[in-house]
Each structure stands twice: as structure tokens, then as C-alpha cells.
Amino acid sequence: MCGIAGAISFTEDMREDMKIYEKMQTALIRRGPDQRGIVLTKEAAMIHTRLAVIDISGGRQPMTFGRFTIVYNGELYNTDEIRKELCDEFEFTTHSDTEVVLKSFAKWGEDCVEHFNGIFAFAVYDSERHRAFFARDRIGVKPFFYCLKSDKLIFASELSALLEHPEVPHEIDSTGAAELLLISPARTAGCGVIRGVDELKSGCCAVYDADGLHIREYWRLKAYELNETFEQTAEHVRELVLDSIRRQLVSDVPVCTFLSGGLDSSIISAVAAAEMKKLGKVLDTFSVDYKDNDRYFKASHFQPNSDPEYIRCMAEFLGTNHHWTVIDTGELVDALDDAVEARGLPGMADVDASMLIFCREIKKSGTVAISGECADELFGGYPWYRDEDIRMTDGFPWAQSTAYRSRFLCDEYAHKIDADDYVYSAYRRTADHAMKLSTDSGTDSRMREMTELNFYWFMQNLLERKDRMSMYSGLEVRVPFCDYRLAEYLYNVKWEYKDHQGREKGLLREAMKEWLPEKVLWRKKSPYPKTHNPAFLEAVTEKLRNVLDTKTPLTELVKREELEKLLMHGENVQWYGQLMNLPQTIAYFIQLDYWLKRFKIRLV
């Protein structure tokens, strides 16, 4: 895993701007602390920072083969198969997947992406054809931002690196304001929030040449007829899940797992522990908790029980070397700013900050971790899949707070933005994008829409959080449930099967029942843990009050009177599903203030 950046121009000499590219590279150094490289030609600047995981000595970048130069961020899980396919035509001098990607492009051109199973974002410059090719993985695990000027394309893994280029404006307009106050911490697919900045969407690739930028979608969730019994479906799921986890255990450095005691991380840990045992090794597992959470925890519909009991059960069941990270309130508040540095935007407040602290602790013991994100989106694990009233609500099920959010928009932007239309149109575009069959039942038709909404919105936000917080800590995190083969297959599994025994992720439970103890196998879903300590609300309230006592750009975007009301704690409206309530909303505005100041953002 790495950081990539660069610029392509067919009218300017890229070799004259070395200092700019060094600044962009420095902004990415946390993503790749082990090695760094820059290749400059007249038309292209190719920038790389490397976190060495596979072929530590041989995988240096930028990597050149003939007329092609690549900068690549990611991991291929079918590297060996592709290398064997190419061996008759090419000689390989390293064991790195970078060389496989590069020579795949030399062989298949733009169609190389069709051959890859992995998470990636990369750029290839072709010096003979005077063009550049960009691609992002099918699921969108790895980021790729860009700014297209009249005669230049500038790109980077992260917004912070892009903003180091003097031609990228540090500005937000009404679209950026709408994203920050009506949509965030999610983002509209393809939107970079900063004026003039876009993101290559998941499952897309592009060519940039003298005629401009040409983007195409090479993958999406497609509907097809699936005629399998429940037993066949469970067997198919089991094979896919096991194959995905095992592929993602390949590494030249030690691998560990996140373990929350929930279904998804427990399955991954169980398979990983079994594979480690074959090698005579013991798996390291990691969990996060909060100081005094046992004292303040209160069961709710979304979080019916706390994790520690189930974590201990799994760690003992698997015989892992288990590590706890316990976060105190002050530490959590202090990490809010670092979480903005990592994401490049304000995000999920303490949910981001705690992940950042957690990843820092894991990094002390290893470089590669495996996590259970995305099973809920694909298997229908969230409450909004299962509650028929919420499921049929015409709008984002996790974001029913547009009226509340719009109150915070300052008058200048409120007059320019139709809040309801902005949010509803984004919802409708995604729901209408869902591919369906004429034979779908009413329930299955809506479930395709729900999958599409979760896949391209809720899941993308969680993946962005995991990528930025982990990579900021120099930690690579892999997500086996994001295997595109699993996503393609599950999109076409009927809801009746996913809802096996009337339980969330019932199909996954049945498919993997031999891997877990009953207590964990049938545990009711519980989300990522957050602090329940009232000291957090007190601390963020005081911190936002201090912000409002100074000159702050925050009140140029957000109504001061609404922030003052927020600090009175009179309302507890969900800002973003169960993940962000009153304390997190206050913390979000602290992050927004920090972001505006840190990146010197101008409002236009």
C-alpha cells in the first residue's frame, strides 16, 4: 500500500516543478513511510511513497517498463495467476504486484483492469503514445482524486497532497457547502468537495491525452437470474468468503486481524487463525474499547450489548495473542484534529478519531491487518434493511435529517441551495442506477436499490475512513468482504435467503456456522463501538465554545445562532445514522473549523 500523485501536461515542461512535486510527496509520506520516488519527464511527473508489504526490496516505484511508467497504490489478490499467464511473454524481475500490474497493462492495455482481483488505484504514463491511463478498483477501496485544468491533469491519493499544488484552488462553492453540511461525512460519488476537484469513481478508469480526459465505467453491480437452492447458495458464499480471506493473508510481513466479537471480524479471525496454525504460528488479534464504557454503557436498539464479553470468547476459542486498546476521553478529543489531517476532510468525529488511535496502536505490532467492513452492506445486516417502514422510506435510510442539517447553512448558501432537492436527487440517482430484472419481486426490487444505496454511499464512507485512518498510521488494512466476486454474487441472491431464520445476515451465519462458537455466531449485530462517557460531550462542548469565542471561518459557512443552540444540548438529532448523535455533531463542527483553518479554505 502506498501514496501516489503526479501531473500530466502536453504543453508545459513538468521537469521545472520539482519543488512542487516534493511537497506533494511529503504530504503522502504517512501513506508510504518506507520508500519514496519521483520520475520526471517533459510531459509527466510521477510521484510515489511506499509502504513495503510484498517484495520489500524489489517493489520500488515509480516503476518503468519500456515506454510505460507506473505509480500504484494497492494490493492484487490474484497476482500469481496473472504472472503465470504473462510468463510466456514477459520476464519478471521482482515478486511485486506492481510489476504484474505494469506488464498486464503492457499486454492488455486498458482492459487489464478486467483481470484484476484486488484493491487499487494507479496511473500509467505512456511516453510513446503521449497519454496517461488511470484506474480505480471495482469497490473503491483505494482513493484517486484529480483536478483537471485547461492544459494539465493533477492527481493524488489524498486531497491534502492535491492541495499542495499551487494550481489547485483552496476553495469551496455552494456544492462544497452542500456536501459539508447536507451530505457529510459521506460524499457524493465523484465529488472532491474542493472546487474543481473530482474523484475517479469506483469501478472506473480513464485516459488523458491531448484531446482531454475520457472516463469509462468498467464494472458495476449487474442483475442476472440466479437459480440456486438455499443450500447451494450457502455453499457458494462459504467458498467465496474462505477464498477471499485466504488470498488476503498473503504478505511478506506479519498479518493480524481486527476483532470486535461481532460476526464479521470473528469469521475473518477464525479463518486467519486456522491458516496461521498450519504454519505453526499464532494469530495476533486487536480490539478497541473506551475507558469507563462498562460503567456508562446503555443498551439500545442499535447497540444491544457491548463487545468485551464476545471478544474474550473469540480470543479464547481461537487461542490468539490478543491485544486491547483502551481509549480515554481526553485522548479521543485530542485526536479529532489528526483525524481531519488523515481524512483530508471533516468526518465521523470520534468514530474516525478512535479508529486513528486504534490503528496507531496496531502499527506498533504489525504492518498488515484484516478487517470486517462491508459484510453488512452486502448481506443486509443493517436495521434499515430489516425494518419495512424504514426500508420503504423514500430517501437515504441513515440520513433522515435534511431539515435539521439545513438550519445550519448560513444565509448566503441557504439561498443558493435547495437542501431537500440536493439530498433527494442524490438518493434518487443512486436508487435509479440499480439494475433489476423484470422477474424481481417487489421486495427483491427494493432490496437491489437498498444494496446500491449502501454500496455506493454508506459503505464508501466506511471504506474511506478505514483507508485514511490506517494509512495515516502506516498500516495496511485489507477488507475480504469487499471482494468484487462476492459483491456480484450477493447482488443477485434473493432477500429470502439473506434473511435466513429471520436474522440479520442469516445467510452468512449459516454459511460459516462451523467456524464460530454458537454464542458469537448468533450474536445480534452491534456497530463499531463508541464512547458512552458523558465526559466526551462535556469536552467537545467546551472546545466548540472556545472556537466560537475566537475569530473563525466556521461562522462564514455555519449559522452562529444554530451552533449556540447546539451547545445548549436541547436536541439530540441523528446527524448520520446511529454513528453520529449530539456529541458527534458538536465534534463534527470542531473538525470543520479545523479543516477550514488548516487548509486555508476560502468560501466562494
Side-chain angles (χ1 to χ4, degrees):
M1 296 298 180
C2 311
I4 65 172
I8 310 291
S9 176
F10 304 104
T11 60
E12 294 184 25
D13 191 335
M14 297 291 95
R15 295 169 294 188
E16 297 176 357
D17 294 326
M18 184 64 171
K19 288 185 178 179
I20 293 172
Y21 304 132
E22 287 176 340
K23 287 182 179 180
M24 294 177 73
Q25 184 182 60
T26 299
L28 292 170
I29 202 64
R30 283 182 173 271
R31 288 188 75 90
D34 298 330
Q35 297 165 2
R36 62 175 78 184
I38 297 178
V39 167
L40 294 183
T41 71
K42 184 177 180 180
E43 294 179 340
M46 304 290 274
I47 305 164
H48 194 262
T49 63
R50 186 183 183 208
L51 179 66
V53 173
I54 300 289
D55 194 356
I56 295 169
S57 61
R60 292 179 178 273
Q61 297 186 50
M63 185 179 288
T64 297
F65 175 65
R67 69 184 203 245
F68 305 115
T69 299
I70 189 172
V71 284
Y72 163 76
N73 165 33
E75 205 76 59
L76 286 192
Y77 303 125
N78 62 339
T79 299
D80 289 344
E81 292 97 316
I82 298 176
R83 186 186 286 113
K84 288 176 184 175
E85 193 172 351
L86 296 173
C87 268
D88 289 342
E89 189 163 348
F90 301 110
E91 179 181 351
F92 286 84
T93 60
T94 77
H95 297 291
S96 70
D97 52 344
T98 305
E99 186 179 12
V100 170
V101 173
L102 181 55
K103 290 179 178 175
S104 294
F105 184 79
K107 168 72 173 176
W108 295 304
E110 297 175 32
D111 292 335
C112 67
V113 290
E114 307 283 354
H115 297 258
F116 299 155
N117 177 357
I119 53 178
F120 54 81
F122 66 88
V124 179
Y125 165 64
D126 182 339
S127 60
E128 285 187 14
R129 298 186 65 186
H130 306 286
R131 63 193 310 198
F133 176 75
F134 312 108
R136 193 168 177 219
D137 65 78
R138 293 170 175 85
I139 308 293
V141 178
K142 290 291 136 184
F144 189 98
F145 292 97
Y146 66 92
C147 181
L148 184 62
K149 311 300 288 185
S150 60
D151 58 355
K152 185 182 300 179
L153 187 143
I154 309 158
F155 66 91
S157 293
E158 295 181 0
L159 287 170
S160 57
L162 208 59
L163 288 169
E164 289 293 341
H165 198 288
E167 293 183 49
V168 177
H170 292 230
E171 297 173 349
I172 57 170
D173 54 18
S174 57
T175 298
E179 290 289 316
L180 289 166
L181 289 183
L182 303 178
I183 298 289
S184 187
R187 280 188 297 111
T188 300
C191 177
V193 180
I194 302 291
R195 188 173 70 87
V197 173
D198 296 296
E199 184 176 29
L200 189 63
K201 294 179 183 179
S202 60
C204 287
C205 59
V207 170
Y208 180 65
D209 57 21
D211 293 327
L213 182 67
H214 310 278
I215 299 172
R216 72 176 176 91
E217 182 183 68
Y218 71 87
W219 184 87
R220 62 171 293 186
L221 293 171
K222 293 182 179 179
Y224 60 80
E225 202 72 52
L226 185 63
N227 297 308
E228 292 181 344
T229 65
F230 176 77
E231 290 73 22
Q232 290 170 328
T233 303
E235 176 63 25
H236 199 153
V237 166
R238 179 162 51 254
E239 290 173 356
L240 285 170
V241 168
L242 290 174
D243 184 64
S244 180
I245 296 171
R246 287 166 177 158
R247 284 177 182 272
Q248 298 193 27
L249 289 170
V250 176
S251 171
D252 289 342
V253 296
V255 176
C256 63
T257 66
F258 287 52
L259 179 60
S260 70
L263 180 68
D264 313 328
S265 68
S266 295
I267 288 171
I268 290 170
S269 296
V271 178
E275 294 300 307
M276 291 286 189
K277 189 175 181 180
K278 293 176 185 177
L279 302 173
K281 298 178 181 179
V282 176
L283 177 69
D284 284 282
T285 51
F286 291 82
S287 300
V288 65
D289 200 4
Y290 302 86
K291 187 177 178 181
D292 295 328
N293 243 23
D294 55 344
R295 177 181 172 189
Y296 294 109
F297 176 79
K298 292 181 181 178
S300 68
H301 175 66
F302 289 116
Q303 196 152 8
N305 42 51
S306 58
D307 293 336
E309 174 187 351
Y310 297 89
I311 292 168
R312 284 189 286 269
C313 173
M314 277 305 300
E316 292 172 8
F317 178 74
L318 299 176
T320 67
N321 181 21
H322 191 68
H323 309 260
W324 289 91
T325 297
V326 179
I327 303 173
D328 202 354
T329 299
E331 187 181 11
L332 196 58
V333 175
D334 290 343
L336 289 171
D337 291 351
D338 283 347
V340 175
E341 293 280 353
R343 194 185 267 256
L345 288 166
M348 286 192 282
D350 60 321
V351 182
D352 279 6
S354 61
M355 178 61 71
L356 180 60
I357 296 168
F358 189 30
C359 289
R360 282 176 183 167
E361 289 302 308
I362 297 174
K363 175 61 177 179
K364 294 175 182 178
S365 302
T367 302
V368 177
I370 304 184
S371 182
E373 267 81 4
C374 308
D376 286 299
E377 288 82 359
L378 300 179
F379 285 94
Y382 291 123
W384 46 74
Y385 277 102
R386 309 186 52 71
D387 184 311
E388 188 172 358
D389 290 337
I390 299 176
R391 186 168 73 215
M392 298 309 294
T393 298
D394 197 23
F396 293 117
W398 56 84
Q400 297 292 310
S401 55
T402 303
Y404 175 68
R405 284 170 171 255
S406 64
R407 285 169 22 192
F408 290 90
L409 272 170
C410 70
D411 289 340
E412 179 184 352
Y413 287 112
H415 293 320
K416 296 178 181 177
I417 301 166
D418 184 330
D420 288 331
D421 180 69
Y422 191 90
V423 176
Y424 183 75
S425 294
Y427 157 78
R428 197 67 261 165
R429 284 193 301 271
T430 310
D432 291 344
H433 183 257
M435 188 179 290
K436 302 176 183 178
L437 298 177
S438 59
T439 54
D440 286 342
S441 68
T443 297
D444 285 324
S445 175
R446 178 55 176 168
M447 283 307 181
R448 289 195 194 273
E449 293 181 353
M450 290 293 287
T451 300
E452 191 98 356
L453 290 164
N454 280 270
F455 189 88
Y456 288 107
W457 285 89
F458 202 80
M459 190 171 90
Q460 292 301 317
N461 185 28
L462 295 182
L463 289 173
E464 179 171 310
R465 162 183 172 252
K466 182 58 65 68
D467 175 79
R468 305 305 193 278
M469 300 308 129
S470 60
M471 294 302 291
Y472 191 76
S473 307
L475 178 72
E476 175 187 321
V477 176
R478 300 173 179 177
V479 278
F481 287 110
C482 273
D483 190 303
Y484 79 93
R485 300 168 302 162
L486 197 55
E488 286 178 339
Y489 179 70
L490 286 167
Y491 186 68
N492 292 286
V493 171
K494 63 180 76 172
W495 175 247
E496 175 190 347
Y497 288 0
K498 293 180 183 179
D499 193 38
H500 179 61
Q501 293 191 8
R503 290 298 306 271
E504 74 277 5
K505 293 183 286 192
L507 171 60
L508 180 60
R509 295 177 197 272
E510 178 65 27
M512 303 302 294
K513 63 183 179 183
E514 296 178 3
W515 287 87
L516 302 178
E518 288 286 314
K519 179 176 181 176
V520 174
L521 179 65
W522 296 105
R523 180 191 179 191
K524 186 172 174 59
K525 175 179 168 50
S526 190
Y528 177 82
K530 60 185 178 184
T531 182
H532 295 271
N533 194 328
F536 180 72
L537 175 58
E538 295 168 8
V540 293
T541 297
E542 180 182 1
K543 188 162 185 173
L544 184 55
R545 279 204 180 103
N546 291 338
V547 167
L548 294 179
D549 286 341
T550 64
K551 185 177 181 181
T552 170
L554 183 64
T555 51
E556 297 174 30
L557 176 62
V558 184
K559 285 184 179 176
R560 176 181 287 271
E561 57 267 33
E562 291 299 329
L563 293 172
E564 297 284 0
K565 285 182 190 177
L566 185 68
L567 294 177
M568 297 300 291
H569 302 172
E571 296 177 280
N572 189 10
V573 179
Q574 286 188 344
W575 185 267
Y576 190 71
Q578 75 272 24
L579 294 175
M580 295 182 69
N581 295 312
L582 176 62
Q584 290 75 33
T585 304
I586 294 172
Y588 175 77
F589 285 114
I590 293 169
Q591 289 192 311
L592 179 56
D593 170 74
Y594 179 82
W595 180 74
L596 291 167
K597 293 173 180 174
R598 164 66 178 83
F599 294 103
K600 298 180 175 62
I601 302 297
R602 298 180 295 274
L603 282 67
V604 297

